[in-house]
Each structure stands twice: as C-alpha cells, then as structure tokens.
Amino acid sequence: MLRSVAVLVLDRLAVFEFGVLCEVFGLDRSDDGLPVLDYRVCGVEAGKPVSTSGGVQVIPEHGLDGLAGADLVAVPATGLREYPEEALQALRQAEAAGATMLSVCSGVFVLAAAGLLSGRRVATHWHSADELRARHPDVEVDQDVLFVDEGNLITSAGTAAGIDACLHLVRRELGSAVVNGIARRMVVPPQREGGQRQFIDRPVPECSADSLGPVLDWLLANLDVEHSVADLAKRAAMSERTFARRFAAETGTSPLRWLTRQRVLHARRLLEDTDLSVDAVASRCGFGSATLLRHHFKQVVGVPPADYRRSFQRV
C-alpha cells in the first residue's frame, strides 16, 4: 500500500516533471474521498533553494533524511549529469530499505548514477536514450515506450509520459477508483498503457470529422460486443488498411490490442467494485469466457483475476 512519497529535487530541476509528481501525489483530495499521502519534497539540504529550468527556485522542506522510510522515492527530470554523492547514497539507502523508485524523464540518469539500474530495462525521453546508453551501457534502454514497470522500479519517458507512469503506479497500489478520481481532477485519461510507443502522430484525437474519437467512444460503451477490424473500419467509413494505420497513429497501438487492454481495465474496475463472478465479469467485458479473461488479465496485470480481487476489492 502506498502511504508516503519522497521527491528528490536537484539543481536544474525540470518544472513540469516536478509538477506532475506534486499534482498526482502531493495534493489533498480528501474532499473527493481519496487518500492523503505523506508527501515530502527533499533536497540535499532542507531550506536551500534548488535552481530550475523555468526561471524560478524551489525550496525543499526536507533534507535527504526525508527519503528514509518512504514507500516511494521519485526523481523528476534534471539537466544535471553530475550529482552530489550524498544524494546518490541516500537513494541507495532508500532502495535497500525497500522503497519503490520512480523516475520521470531524465531523472533516470540520477538513478543510473546511483548504480540502481544495472541490468534493468528502463524508459527515458527518446531524445536522451542514446546518451543514457553511452553513459550506462549496463542499462537496457527502451526508447519506444511511455514507461516501464519493473516492480520496485518505474521509469518514464518525457513530459506527459510521467503522468501516465504516476497514474499507473497509483492504480497498481491503490486501485482503479483512486486513480480515476485523481485523473478526473487532473482532466486526463487514466488508461494509457506503458507499452504504447512514444511517437504518436496525433496524441490527442482532433475534433474533426475524420477523427477516430467517435469510434473509440463507441467501443468503450460496447466492450461486451464482439468486434472485428473489418466492422470497425466500416463504422469509421474507411478501408481496413487505412483504419489500422489511422488507429495506430491516434492511439499508438493496434485496434485489437487497444480493445483487449480496455477490456482488462474494465474487468479491473468490476473486480474491485462489484461482487460479480469471474464468468460474469468476463461476459460484461467481452472476453466470452473466464478462461480467456484469465489469460489476458494475467498477461496485462501480472496476476489472475481472483488474486487481484482479493487484494483490491472494496465491496
């Protein structure tokens, strides 16, 4: 269970990436019935201003001792490539004590410098991928995804991908109801998956006659119905080939993969919020059988539906 978050801020701090962490983990949304986390902003020295890329300064309330005991230690992007040794040592101690480590964009360089990424698969902004490989050849860099979840390590690509990684972590640790509440307040979608590629020709569907937005909305409202690419292409008034190409351009993935992931997300919500049987959940989500649901659910979430329900059911 995620109860405490410590954010390490260093000079040349990227303001947006830091703001993402503040927005997701640092705000009091108890008026919406959402949990309030113990949120700490930590610098090398408490009260010492940290420079940023945005012409302002950030003054951390805590020193490096604030990282101790945190469930999650997050490192936002920084333009630095050399880091205070005491900060790296504090990260090592936090990781050794069992904290989950999260980096946003170039924050991954800090974790790599601390020696926490050797032999691990990570994400970073595509623009920094070659530099990260050159500096840390022992790290497996995947520049084609929004974020990578390796259990106690989550790394994200640049800017908005940090939102996806943070919301993914909230969903993983606190469940769909909490992440949906946070996403609603942030006015962002809660469901983008980490395996989507960073380059999406049209990241936000355009409000135009040829956008696939209406088709996606219809699909989400009809997950229990069997769909084929041919049927969806016909609904969009396109050839199958054009539809598949446009779908990848707007969503970053294939129609069937996107549909499967949306069905799994719907299944997670039903497992958390209802007492429906696994067979009934499978039917409502369009999987047809509990066996098929179990297969896809474990592939996407990592555990069987029954195990997930035991951990997260709230009814």
Side-chain angles (χ1 to χ4, degrees):
M1 184 66 72
L2 180 64
R3 295 185 179 89
S4 56
V5 179
V7 178
L8 175 62
V9 293
L10 299 172
D11 279 325
R12 298 180 62 188
L13 177 69
V15 177
F16 182 92
E17 284 79 355
F18 173 59
V20 167
L21 296 170
C22 295
E23 181 74 23
V24 175
F25 301 112
L27 298 188
D28 182 344
R29 296 187 175 94
S30 55
D31 57 334
D32 285 342
L34 301 178
V36 179
L37 302 177
D38 173 8
Y39 180 77
R40 317 163 198 164
V41 178
C42 309
V44 173
E45 184 179 334
K48 181 179 180 181
V50 171
S51 65
T52 75
S53 59
V56 298
Q57 292 182 323
V58 170
I59 302 177
E61 184 177 352
H62 300 271
L64 294 173
D65 58 339
L67 274 60
D71 298 321
L72 172 68
V73 172
V75 185
T78 168
L80 294 180
R81 290 298 181 265
E82 300 293 333
Y83 315 104
E85 177 55 34
E86 59 265 45
L88 300 181
Q89 183 59 23
L91 290 172
R92 297 182 193 112
Q93 291 172 347
E95 194 267 351
T100 295
M101 313 302 287
L102 165 69
S103 69
V104 181
C105 195
S106 62
V108 71
F109 283 84
V110 186
L111 297 182
L116 302 180
L117 305 185
S118 181
R120 314 220 33 195
R121 176 172 165 259
V122 303
T124 192
H125 194 291
W126 61 267
H127 191 267
S128 302
D130 288 341
E131 180 188 2
L132 184 59
R133 291 190 188 98
R135 286 178 176 269
H136 302 281
D138 58 331
V139 177
E140 181 186 347
V141 182
D142 190 341
Q143 69 184 62
D144 293 325
V145 296
L146 298 178
F147 61 86
V148 172
D149 180 350
E150 288 222 325
N152 68 339
L153 171 68
I154 296 179
T155 53
S156 82
T159 323
I163 299 175
D164 298 306
C166 291
L167 292 179
H168 165 79
L169 177 61
V170 171
R171 181 187 296 278
R172 192 186 81 178
E173 298 298 323
L174 300 176
S176 295
V178 175
V179 78
N180 288 343
I182 293 174
R184 191 177 303 115
R185 285 283 289 266
M186 292 177 65
V187 198
V188 296
Q191 76 274 9
R192 285 211 308 173
E193 294 295 323
Q196 293 184 17
R197 66 178 191 260
Q198 290 187 37
F199 280 120
I200 301 177
D201 294 345
R202 291 198 284 176
V204 179
E206 298 172 1
C207 296
S208 60
D210 61 351
S211 168
L212 293 181
V215 176
L216 299 183
D217 290 340
W218 182 84
L219 273 173
L220 290 174
N222 294 274
L223 291 174
D224 58 328
V225 178
E226 185 66 33
H227 303 288
S228 68
V229 174
D231 292 339
L232 296 175
K234 184 177 180 180
R235 175 170 288 274
M238 299 177 188
S239 69
E240 289 185 45
R241 184 174 180 180
T242 298
F243 176 78
R245 184 174 64 249
R246 287 286 305 282
F247 198 98
E250 291 202 10
T251 69
T253 190
S254 70
L256 295 182
R257 183 179 179 186
W258 184 89
L259 182 59
T260 296
R261 289 187 177 274
Q262 299 311 311
R263 283 172 166 162
V264 168
L265 287 171
H266 187 44
R268 291 173 74 161
R269 290 190 285 272
L270 292 176
L271 291 168
E272 292 173 8
D273 299 333
T274 76
D275 58 359
L276 291 170
S277 69
V278 173
D279 286 293
V281 170
S283 177
R284 289 201 184 188
C285 295
F287 282 117
S289 71
T291 301
L292 198 57
L293 168 62
R294 291 187 188 100
H295 170 75
H296 289 294
F297 196 93
K298 187 170 184 180
Q299 201 169 47
V300 173
V301 181
V303 296
D307 291 352
Y308 183 84
R309 168 170 270 170
R310 279 193 291 271
S311 297
F312 295 105
Q313 189 176 36
R314 284 181 290 276
V315 296

